[in-house]
Amino acid sequence: MMNHLKYYQTRAFLSRSFAFSSTKHPKPLSKILPFHHFHTNSILQTKTHLYASFFCTLIHLYLTCGRLSKATDTFYDMIRTHHIVPTLPLWNRLIYQFNATGLVSQVWDLYSEMLSCGVLPNVFTHNILVHAWCKMGHLSLALDLIRNVDIDVDTVTYNTAIWGFCQQGLANQGFGFLSIMVKKDTFFDSFTCNILVKGFCRIGSVKYGEWVMDNLVNGGICKDAVGFNTLIDGHCKVGEISYAFELMERMRNQGVFPDIVTYNTLINGCSKRGDFDRAKSLIDEILGFRKKKDCAFRKIDDMNDDDGTTNLEPNLVTYTTLISAYSKQHGLSEALSLYEEMISDGFLPDVVTYSSIINGLCKHGMLTEAKALLREMDKMGVNPNHVVYAILVDSLFKAGSAWESFIYQSQMIVCGVSFDLVVCTTLIDGLFKAGKSDEAEAMFCSLAKLNCIPNNITYTAMIDGYCKLGDMDGAESLLREMERKQVVPNVITYSSIINGYTKKGMLDVAVRIMKKMLDQNIMPNAYIYATLIDGHFKAGKQDAAVDLYNEMKLNGLEENSFIVDVFVNNLKRGRKMEEAEGLCKYMMSKGLLLDRVNYTSLMDGFFKTGRESAAFTMAEKMAETGIKFDVVAYNVLINGLLRLGKYDAESVYSGIRELGLAPDRATYNTMINAYCKQGKLENAIKLWNEMKGHSVMPNSITCNILVGGLSTAGETERAINVLNEMLLWGIRPNVTIHRALLNACSKCERADTILQMHKRLVGMGLKVNREVYNSLITVLCGLGMTKRATLVLNNMTKEGISADTVTYNALIHGHFKSSHIEKALATYTQMLNEGVSPGIRTYNLLLGGLLAAGLMSKAHEILSKMKESGLDPDASLYNTLISGHGKIGNKKEAIKFYCEMVTKGLVPKTSTYNVLIEGFAKVGKMDQARELLNEMQVRRVPPNSSTYDILICGWCNLSKQPELDRISKKTYRTEARTLFAEMNEKGFVPCENTLACISSTFARPGMVVDAKNMLKDMYKRKQS
């Protein structure tokens, strides 16, 4: 806006100043320009030019060294402090250098100062000004200067304006300048033609670009290699490789001979499409012969200047093009081999070559090798540029090594590497990912100082960061800023916003944003639909999700791996893995190839539903289809293997190295968790140290796992030491750590110790909220210390934190534990009076306590109130009801609730089945007990040691009835023996009562005690 204001304030003056041409005598400058700040006596006029030349040289040196602010300060020092006015050539040189160095926003300031000093610009000056405005995207200013100000313009001026429009994707408007040039009697040249051709190629209108070139050539413009090369590049980019080769032939036929740029362009096009054989054949064509099968390059002359041909030999770009393509697609080994071959052939790699290889190494997760190559650059005397640093910083952020990214950022500053928009955008994105949102915002605000104008990618990085933080107001504010500054949001920008609203559960707003996209003619892609479908599935809106899928299909978008993964995850949440597998098979029959993420999701789902053989099949299919495991897939695999408990943690962990993968934070977290569960704390600590040694920084989850493991083992001081270490990295204790350490302290059953640990954690930065208070109250109530818990509740209320359902549940549990039935019921009444809604857990505690106390009528009254409130019993509540009635011998009610439970599709847990089986076993109804065991197996509920104890004792006791016939007695004992053998196979140890039953049933008279002792010794040896 300021630039517009300055321009229009000066425009009247400009029209007067340029009312004469260079051949006319101008009016006296004193009548045109204000000289109010000039003091001709400050420096002798004879020395002015010398001093001006000196200052301009100094400014040039500052700009060359990247000391941009120093250059600006020196310029203003020259003009305003010393009142030195350079001549027009020096002004032009300064304006040109500021523009070329990237200080485009200051070009207008220099131009304004020049006019104020009474120096009149020429056409060269205006060409630079137009170029600067075009670079900044201020096309209206450039256009207004050309159209409305009476100044001399030439072909270069129009070419610059056309270039500006083409850079913004406005090639059609750029083409419109040709008519203005014709009216102004300004000639076209080959530059005009080539700029327009490139402009149309940029927007994918390659055929139209070719039409423009043909028409301009017919008008007298000479075709050159640059125009043909631009068209060849355009056809390569839209995938028309064959036509690009035809153009090269046409080029030859029309007397324009291909140069090394032509070949490099075609090599690049073939390489990007993975056609390395064709790329190699082009190299052979350059070389003219093949002497060695494995030799890629030799420097030769294959064409003759006298015949009108060009002298072709591969250059550094040829090598770098192939190296870059190999690094991205084909394989690093070929790229590195080519790199070594290039050096042996006498070509020293430049910064672009190194950046290509470093990019390939980073994309393959080989960050250590990438950093080593950066050090090699230094030894070779090649200074890394901002591109190299941007690649490394971005990769390290993505790998979770934010602190290393900051080291390279500091290195850039020390080495004087300028921060361009790409580097700044990378840092903004990485800072958000590292949880440093304040620093990301500061970087965004500093863009103006660095003379960087944020584009839609920069804004998208900021918007994405805000959305991931849940700050949708901030995201919307930036979107409005983009609209004000005429920065057009793209599909990724809207994708981030839609994803943000979806994660917050604001699905209606997310759908509204998608409609806004459509209003702006930005078509949603399959990823946006996948996000919305996934959000609706997670919200339980299955029909709406299917409607969105159908809408996507109507809009012409096909299913892709993202969509498949959304549907698989939805089925996985419902444990419907057979349907998920069927869906994938159907998609494959339609020609869709599953990707690594799809196979990983299926493998994870099969492991979680206990179908490990199907999970292993998915892993095998990945290998068969050539899809390599990445670290995420391997993490799913090790999680599944360790959950089965059949595999050694060390061997599982060593497998990741054998696959050539580097463990990430999730891998370490999984392994540390496994070692903590196994009680192998030293191994967990060893991995903790290894993790830090490999620059994989632990996060709060790592801390939760390790502190939890140490706390469970009673090593609270060691857990505190880990916490102190985490504090240095800015990770504070959270509610999970608080709960783990309080549970560890509760083992001593002393309230003072528990409360002391709570205060200690608060002192370490634990943020006290309702959840933290609830943890403290729960631990105290778990020990029956309801008086202390009530005092904590009072403190909580004084701090303005109200009790919720969790708080009251803990108190109800504590009162029942202390056998204070009336207090428990009073707490329930207080809960209702304060407007806190009881949940299923509340009713579970109440019913469990009342049934245990034998208060059947009160339990039924509470159950009725629960149903009146609209709550249906869940599996946990049914388990409580069945167990409660079963334990007091009310078998009829227990069976009634059991039937009701399984009819609703809910699965009882093992302990519930044990109560029912025991009820039948006590009255000798072992057939019914055996039927319940069969039902357990059908519902995949694993029997435990108690299940076998109850059944074995039941069959043994039944076989001892005196009225039994011999066959029945033998049958019952066979049942007991079979169950005993099965129990033994599963590694369960029978209890004392079971051993006594077996001994008394199967031992000979007089040998019962000896048999019992022998069985005891046998199980002791087995356990040891």
Side-chain angles (χ1 to χ4, degrees):
M1 176 59 77
M2 287 302 296
N3 285 339
H4 282 273
L5 210 58
K6 284 182 182 178
Y7 173 71
Y8 287 112
Q9 283 174 344
T10 348
R11 198 167 73 186
F13 161 69
L14 285 172
S15 61
R16 291 197 306 273
S17 299
F18 299 113
F20 51 85
S21 71
S22 57
T23 57
K24 295 179 182 177
H25 295 288
K27 295 177 183 178
L29 290 176
S30 59
K31 293 184 180 180
I32 301 175
L33 298 171
F35 290 100
H36 56 272
H37 67 274
F38 288 105
H39 303 279
T40 54
N41 61 347
S42 57
I43 296 177
L44 292 173
Q45 290 295 324
T46 55
K47 295 184 179 180
T48 300
H49 181 70
L50 178 64
Y51 288 143
S53 181
F54 166 75
F55 268 103
C56 289
T57 303
L58 183 60
I59 292 165
H60 170 68
L61 288 171
Y62 281 136
L63 291 170
T64 306
C65 296
R67 300 177 68 180
L68 306 183
S69 59
K70 195 72 177 170
T72 306
D73 293 343
T74 305
F75 167 76
Y76 286 113
D77 194 39
M78 173 181 74
I79 297 295
R80 294 174 181 175
T81 305
H82 297 290
H83 312 298
I84 296 170
V85 181
T87 59
L88 178 61
L90 289 174
W91 274 107
N92 283 346
R93 182 184 168 199
L94 278 175
I95 293 171
Y96 174 80
Q97 287 166 352
F98 269 76
N99 183 46
T101 316
L103 295 172
V104 286
S105 60
Q106 294 187 30
V107 168
W108 169 259
D109 295 333
L110 264 71
Y111 181 78
S112 300
E113 288 286 346
M114 175 180 161
L115 296 178
S116 299
C117 292
V119 179
L120 300 178
N122 60 11
V123 69
F124 180 79
T125 321
H126 287 114
N127 287 345
I128 301 168
L129 185 60
V130 169
H131 188 239
W133 273 336
C134 288
K135 278 164 74 172
M136 293 169 70
H138 297 163
L139 301 179
S140 57
L141 288 176
L143 190 60
D144 209 29
L145 183 71
I146 294 169
R147 283 179 173 173
N148 301 330
V149 180
D150 189 12
I151 61 170
D152 289 331
V153 293
D154 58 8
T155 302
V156 175
T157 319
Y158 284 108
N159 285 350
T160 305
I162 292 168
W163 171 84
F165 276 89
C166 289
Q167 284 291 104
Q168 296 293 319
L170 303 169
N172 287 302
Q173 289 86 330
F175 183 68
F177 271 92
L178 296 185
S179 61
I180 301 172
M181 290 175 78
V182 170
K183 289 175 186 175
K184 297 272 188 177
D185 201 23
T186 306
F187 292 107
F188 310 150
D189 60 13
S190 58
F191 289 101
T192 318
C193 175
N194 294 338
I195 289 166
L196 280 168
V197 170
K198 188 169 181 65
F200 282 111
C201 287
R202 275 173 71 97
I203 60 173
S205 300
V206 189
K207 292 288 183 186
Y208 198 76
E210 194 172 344
W211 177 85
V212 168
M213 189 169 86
D214 289 340
N215 277 272
L216 288 175
V217 167
N218 292 336
I221 301 295
C222 292
K223 283 187 178 181
D224 61 8
V226 175
F228 273 110
N229 289 344
T230 304
L231 281 174
I232 288 168
D233 182 53
H235 283 292
C236 285
K237 281 176 178 169
V238 295
E240 297 172 349
I241 302 292
S242 298
Y243 192 81
F245 275 90
E246 286 177 24
L247 262 179
M248 186 169 73
E249 285 306 312
R250 210 172 99 195
M251 193 175 171
R252 285 196 182 104
N253 295 335
Q254 294 181 12
V256 182
F257 291 94
D259 56 12
I260 193 62
V261 177
T262 318
Y263 280 90
N264 287 346
T265 303
L266 285 166
I267 288 167
N268 186 44
C270 293
S271 300
K272 281 186 175 176
R273 293 184 67 80
D275 192 353
F276 289 97
D277 292 335
R278 205 167 188 181
K280 282 283 190 181
S281 72
L282 283 165
I283 294 165
D284 292 334
E285 193 175 327
I286 297 172
L287 297 171
F289 63 91
R290 287 186 191 172
K291 281 194 173 180
K292 291 181 182 178
K293 187 178 179 181
D294 296 329
C295 183
F297 298 107
R298 284 184 185 277
K299 292 193 237 180
I300 64 160
D301 295 331
D302 70 333
M303 292 187 186
N304 195 310
D305 284 330
D306 295 334
D307 298 332
T309 58
T310 186
N311 197 23
L312 277 180
E313 58 181 45
N315 59 13
L316 196 56
V317 176
T318 319
Y319 280 101
T320 303
T321 299
L322 260 182
I323 286 170
S324 176
Y326 274 129
S327 298
K328 289 176 184 174
Q329 294 185 38
H330 201 63
L332 270 176
S333 57
E334 290 88 345
L336 295 170
S337 173
L338 203 57
Y339 167 72
E340 290 170 6
E341 196 173 314
M342 178 180 82
I343 293 171
S344 67
D345 279 357
F347 285 98
L348 291 177
D350 65 358
V351 69
V352 180
T353 319
Y354 278 115
S355 68
S356 296
I357 300 173
I358 287 172
N359 187 42
L361 290 167
C362 289
K363 285 192 183 304
H364 284 76
M366 300 169 71
L367 292 176
T368 306
E369 291 81 356
K371 289 182 279 185
L373 194 60
L374 183 69
R375 291 191 291 273
E376 186 184 313
M377 285 180 73
D378 186 48
K379 290 176 186 175
M380 295 285 286
V382 180
N383 294 322
N385 62 6
H386 59 283
V387 177
V388 175
Y389 280 112
I391 292 165
L392 269 172
V393 167
D394 184 49
S395 300
L396 288 165
F397 270 129
K398 285 173 179 172
S401 296
W403 65 278
E404 275 195 286
S405 297
F406 299 139
I407 289 171
Y408 283 109
Q409 181 188 350
S410 303
Q411 207 175 98
M412 285 179 73
I413 296 166
V414 171
C415 296
V417 179
S418 60
F419 281 55
D420 72 344
L421 188 61
V422 175
V423 174
C424 292
T425 302
T426 301
L427 284 167
I428 288 167
D429 186 51
L431 286 163
F432 270 119
K433 284 184 171 71
K436 296 181 179 290
S437 55
D438 292 341
E439 289 89 335
E441 288 173 0
M443 175 61 74
F444 182 75
C445 293
S446 69
L447 288 176
K449 293 178 185 176
L450 294 167
N451 295 290
C452 295
I453 300 159
N455 58 14
N456 58 4
I457 299 171
T458 315
Y459 276 110
T460 298
M462 284 292 297
I463 287 170
D464 186 59
Y466 280 135
C467 289
K468 284 186 168 68
L469 289 172
D471 183 6
M472 299 313 298
D473 291 336
E476 289 273 15
S477 173
L478 276 175
L479 188 63
R480 288 191 294 273
E481 185 179 316
M482 286 179 78
E483 290 169 357
R484 283 198 309 274
K485 294 188 175 181
Q486 296 182 339
V487 180
V488 181
N490 58 20
V491 69
I492 301 169
T493 318
Y494 282 113
S495 176
S496 295
I497 295 173
I498 289 168
N499 192 38
Y501 278 121
T502 302
K503 283 188 175 176
K504 286 179 78 75
M506 300 169 71
L507 298 174
D508 293 338
V509 183
V511 171
R512 178 173 56 78
I513 295 291
M514 187 174 74
K515 287 177 181 174
K516 183 179 178 181
M517 281 179 73
L518 291 165
D519 292 340
Q520 295 181 355
N521 293 320
I522 301 172
M523 286 302 295
N525 57 18
Y527 178 77
I528 287 176
Y529 275 107
T531 301
L532 287 168
I533 292 167
D534 187 49
H536 282 84
F537 272 141
K538 285 176 179 173
K541 298 180 177 181
Q542 305 284 322
D543 293 340
V546 173
D547 288 343
L548 280 164
Y549 168 75
N550 291 330
E551 181 187 318
M552 182 193 84
K553 295 286 290 178
L554 285 171
N555 286 336
L557 293 171
E558 293 296 322
E559 301 95 340
N560 61 11
S561 55
F562 288 114
I563 298 292
V564 171
D565 202 51
V566 166
F567 277 90
V568 167
N569 283 330
N570 181 52
L571 293 167
K572 189 166 73 175
R573 281 190 290 271
R575 302 178 72 82
K576 299 175 181 177
M577 288 311 297
E578 290 83 359
E579 289 182 41
E581 192 176 13
L583 171 70
C584 289
K585 285 179 180 176
Y586 170 70
M587 287 298 178
M588 289 171 75
S589 70
K590 289 178 69 178
L592 178 71
L593 296 176
L594 300 186
D595 64 6
R596 186 187 290 114
V597 176
N598 300 140
Y599 280 114
T600 304
S601 291
L602 286 167
M603 185 165 58
D604 183 49
F606 286 129
F607 271 129
K608 284 176 178 173
T609 52
R611 294 178 58 191
E612 51 267 21
S613 60
F616 292 138
T617 302
M618 287 300 111
E620 288 167 7
K621 282 185 180 179
M622 280 178 73
E624 287 168 10
T625 51
I627 299 173
K628 292 181 180 178
F629 263 63
D630 65 354
V631 70
V632 177
Y634 196 79
N635 288 344
V636 167
L637 182 63
I638 62 174
N639 257 313
L641 294 174
L642 292 170
R643 198 184 291 119
L644 290 171
K646 299 176 184 177
Y647 297 87
D648 179 58
E650 284 85 351
S651 61
V652 167
Y653 180 60
S654 63
I656 196 166
R657 302 287 185 190
E658 291 168 12
L659 287 172
L661 298 171
D664 66 357
R665 189 186 287 121
T667 319
Y668 282 113
N669 288 349
T670 301
M671 292 307 305
I672 290 170
N673 188 44
Y675 282 132
C676 286
K677 283 182 177 177
Q678 293 170 10
K680 296 179 179 178
L681 294 176
E682 294 308 318
N683 289 24
I685 294 291
K686 184 181 174 183
L687 271 185
W688 160 267
N689 292 325
E690 180 189 308
M691 184 180 187
K692 293 179 290 180
H694 287 160
S695 303
V696 180
M697 297 309 295
N699 61 3
S700 58
I701 298 171
T702 324
C703 190
N704 290 350
I705 293 166
L706 192 54
V707 170
L710 291 166
S711 301
T712 303
E715 298 194 31
T716 51
E717 284 308 313
R718 209 171 176 186
I720 291 292
N721 290 338
V722 170
L723 269 180
N724 286 326
E725 197 174 343
M726 295 298 278
L727 285 174
L728 299 173
W729 300 320
I731 299 174
R732 306 284 173 192
N734 54 32
V735 69
T736 306
I737 289 168
H738 177 257
R739 192 181 299 118
L741 283 166
L742 291 190
N743 283 329
C745 292
S746 69
K747 290 175 183 176
C748 68
E749 298 187 5
R750 292 185 58 184
D752 291 342
T753 307
I754 295 165
L755 293 168
Q756 190 179 354
M757 177 57 75
H758 170 74
K759 287 178 183 176
R760 194 172 177 182
L761 291 171
V762 171
M764 292 174 81
L766 172 69
K767 190 180 284 185
V768 179
N769 54 22
R770 183 188 286 117
E771 202 174 355
V772 168
Y773 273 120
N774 283 345
S775 291
L776 181 56
I777 291 168
T778 300
V779 169
L780 291 168
C781 288
L783 296 170
M785 299 175 180
T786 50
K787 285 185 179 178
R788 287 295 187 103
T790 305
L791 290 174
V792 172
L793 176 61
N794 292 338
N795 289 334
M796 174 178 163
T797 309
K798 284 176 186 176
E799 290 182 19
I801 302 171
S802 58
D804 65 356
T805 307
V806 177
T807 321
Y808 285 111
N809 286 352
L811 288 165
I812 290 167
H813 174 65
H815 288 309
F816 274 125
K817 192 173 181 71
S818 305
S819 301
H820 298 146
I821 311 296
E822 292 302 322
K823 286 184 178 180
L825 292 171
T827 303
Y828 168 65
T829 305
Q830 183 186 346
M831 182 182 187
L832 294 173
N833 292 338
E834 292 188 10
V836 179
S837 300
I840 286 289
R841 170 73 178 153
T842 317
Y843 289 111
N844 210 332
L845 290 166
L846 287 165
L847 291 168
L850 293 168
L851 289 169
L855 300 171
M856 306 303 295
S857 58
K858 190 65 181 176
H860 282 290
E861 182 187 326
I862 293 289
L863 183 61
S864 298
K865 284 184 179 179
M866 185 196 84
K867 289 179 178 177
E868 284 170 14
S869 69
L871 288 173
D872 288 325
D874 64 355
S876 177
L877 191 61
Y878 274 117
N879 284 323
T880 300
L881 288 167
I882 295 164
S883 297
H885 283 289
K887 283 174 183 176
I888 59 172
N890 194 347
K891 193 159 73 269
K892 186 178 177 182
E893 283 294 309
I895 291 295
K896 186 189 86 173
F897 282 119
Y898 170 75
C899 294
E900 193 179 310
M901 181 181 188
V902 295
T903 303
K904 289 183 177 181
L906 301 173
V907 180
K909 61 183 182 180
T910 305
S911 59
T912 306
Y913 273 111
N914 289 348
V915 169
L916 291 169
I917 291 169
E918 189 173 21
F920 285 116
K922 279 181 179 177
V923 294
K925 294 185 176 181
M926 292 307 298
D927 289 333
Q928 288 89 332
R930 181 172 52 198
E931 189 58 39
L932 282 170
L933 179 65
N934 292 337
E935 285 193 29
M936 285 179 76
Q937 291 167 346
V938 168
R939 292 188 172 85
R940 293 183 180 178
V941 179
N944 60 12
S945 183
S946 297
T947 317
Y948 285 106
D949 285 332
I950 295 163
L951 286 164
I952 291 166
C953 289
W955 286 111
C956 286
N957 292 333
L958 191 60
S959 71
K960 293 175 187 175
Q961 292 180 3
E963 69 275 9
L964 277 180
D965 58 78
R966 189 176 176 183
I967 294 172
S968 297
K969 187 177 288 190
K970 189 177 180 181
T971 302
Y972 297 157
R973 288 183 177 183
T974 302
E975 288 281 356
R977 191 182 287 109
T978 303
L979 286 165
F980 185 65
E982 192 178 309
M983 183 183 193
N984 192 33
E985 281 173 15
K986 291 188 177 179
F988 293 129
V989 178
C991 68
E992 184 85 16
N993 188 43
T994 306
L995 292 174
C997 275
I998 292 168
S999 303
S1000 62
T1001 303
F1002 293 99
R1004 291 177 183 176
M1007 300 293 289
V1008 173
V1009 176
D1010 291 338
K1012 184 180 174 183
N1013 290 335
M1014 185 181 74
L1015 284 169
K1016 273 188 182 179
D1017 290 340
M1018 181 180 78
Y1019 277 102
K1020 278 181 185 175
R1021 285 197 301 273
K1022 200 168 186 180
Q1023 284 178 294
S1024 62

